[in-house]
Amino acid sequence: SPDAAAPRQFGNVAWNWPSMKQIKTLQAEEALEQQKKERPLPKASDRFKVVLSNVGPRPPKSLVWLLRTVAGVYKSKIKSDISSNDPPEYRMPMPDFMLDFLKQSYGAQKLVDEYASSVISTMQHYRKLDVRVETFGRFTSEEWGAEILQKFLFMSKLLDETRIGPEYSRGLDDHVRPQNVSLVRALHA
């Protein structure tokens, strides 16, 4: 039968060629993995699903708007996690945290739903174009778990707090604390 694996001999090593059935199974598994990587919407928590069903898709906003929102979410998550004594796996998941962040920022549930939908649509629009958006997308879809998120946030905080370059003061006042440039700003320059 053409699907049966036929043993082959190569020197002292016997090797079985994969059958057509095995090849098709491997191809199907690869196609499934590819679909997971290219899924249009992030896997969402129950609260995310409710938001999307309430508001529907929104037109994407600018990349700058999304990156400012993402930076605010990360900064707030760092503060929240520092004050929490829980291990990372018991802290609020990123999709839920993002919705809480929007609730604190905008208050009214209707605005929260609209902005969350805008974040999702803008993230989908720019995900392939900007690695920062892709990273946030993986955290909000929970493709990357709590442990990876905590390490990412720790490194982001460390980079933001690291100062480099010569110290300089603002003007002629000697009593003003010397200033440096953050490593993140220096890397973007």
Side-chain angles (χ1 to χ4, degrees), residues 28-41:
E29 289 172 357
E30 288 174 358
L32 184 62
E33 286 298 318
Q34 189 65 25
Q35 282 178 338
K36 286 180 184 177
K37 289 179 185 175
E38 297 176 355
R39 68 178 164 259
L41 278 175

Side-chain angles (χ1 to χ4, degrees), residues 78-129:
I78 289 170
K79 287 179 184 177
S80 172
D81 288 353
I82 285 173
S83 65
S84 173
N85 292 329
D86 295 331
E89 59 272 9
Y90 292 109
R91 294 178 187 157
M92 188 180 296
M94 187 55 119
D96 295 333
F97 187 85
M98 186 190 80
L99 292 173
D100 278 0
F101 171 81
L102 294 174
K103 178 78 171 162
Q104 290 174 6
S105 299
Y106 301 109
Q109 190 60 45
K110 183 177 179 182
L111 284 175
V112 170
D113 291 350
E114 288 175 6
Y115 276 100
S117 183
S118 292
V119 167
I120 292 168
S121 64
T122 308
M123 188 170 37
Q124 289 174 333
H125 185 75
Y126 292 108
R127 196 167 183 167
K128 300 288 183 196
L129 303 175

Side-chain angles (χ1 to χ4, degrees), residues 38-53:
E38 297 176 355
R39 68 178 164 259
L41 278 175
K43 175 179 69 175
S45 72
D46 291 337
R47 287 176 63 191
F48 249 166
K49 291 176 186 173
V50 169
V51 165
L52 291 175
S53 67

